[in-house]
Amino acid sequence: MKLITVEEHFESAAVTAAMRQAVGNAAFPTVSPALRQYMRDNLPSPAIMQDTQHERLAFMTQHGIDMQVLSYGNSSPQNLSPEQAVPLTQLANY
């Protein structure tokens, strides 16, 4: 039986750079201070989120994961205005 994990997050360096250029910083949803602190302390670093090969594949091998369904993660274009979000979301799906 194959082991497939779903909604595993990734982040694109190109999209993150374009978002910073568009809005001056990464776009985060409006969250409570406690949740923001949790996110800072517990979510993977951008380097880990952007790695879809080396560490991710080693982790998958170590845990017997055959496939991951990737979803866009932490600093998401969906938190921007539609004029900014649509082209960045298209870039993320490229």
Side-chain angles (χ1 to χ4, degrees):
M1 178 168 56
K2 291 190 180 234
L3 180 58
I4 301 170
T5 59
V6 296
E7 202 174 345
E8 299 295 333
H9 292 100
F10 83 101
E11 188 175 294
S12 161
V15 172
T16 298
M19 287 175 60
R20 284 197 174 113
Q21 184 177 9
V23 297
N25 205 340
F28 290 104
T30 302
V31 297
S32 70
L35 183 54
R36 185 169 301 277
Q37 185 66 42
Y38 170 83
M39 291 168 67
R40 266 192 290 259
D41 294 345
N42 295 287
L43 295 181
S45 69
I48 291 171
M49 294 290 289
Q50 292 167 10
D51 177 20
T52 57
Q53 296 178 12
H54 308 289
E55 288 186 43
R56 184 178 299 265
L57 292 177
F59 177 87
M60 290 172 64
T61 298
Q62 178 183 357
H63 296 282
I65 300 168
D66 296 294
M67 183 183 297
Q68 290 185 329
V69 177
L70 299 179
S71 299
Y72 205 82
N74 303 345
S75 184
S76 178
Q78 74 183 8
N79 300 315
L80 301 174
S81 70
E83 297 78 24
Q84 295 168 314
V86 170
L88 291 174
T89 301
Q90 290 170 332
L91 179 60
N93 284 305
Y94 179 67

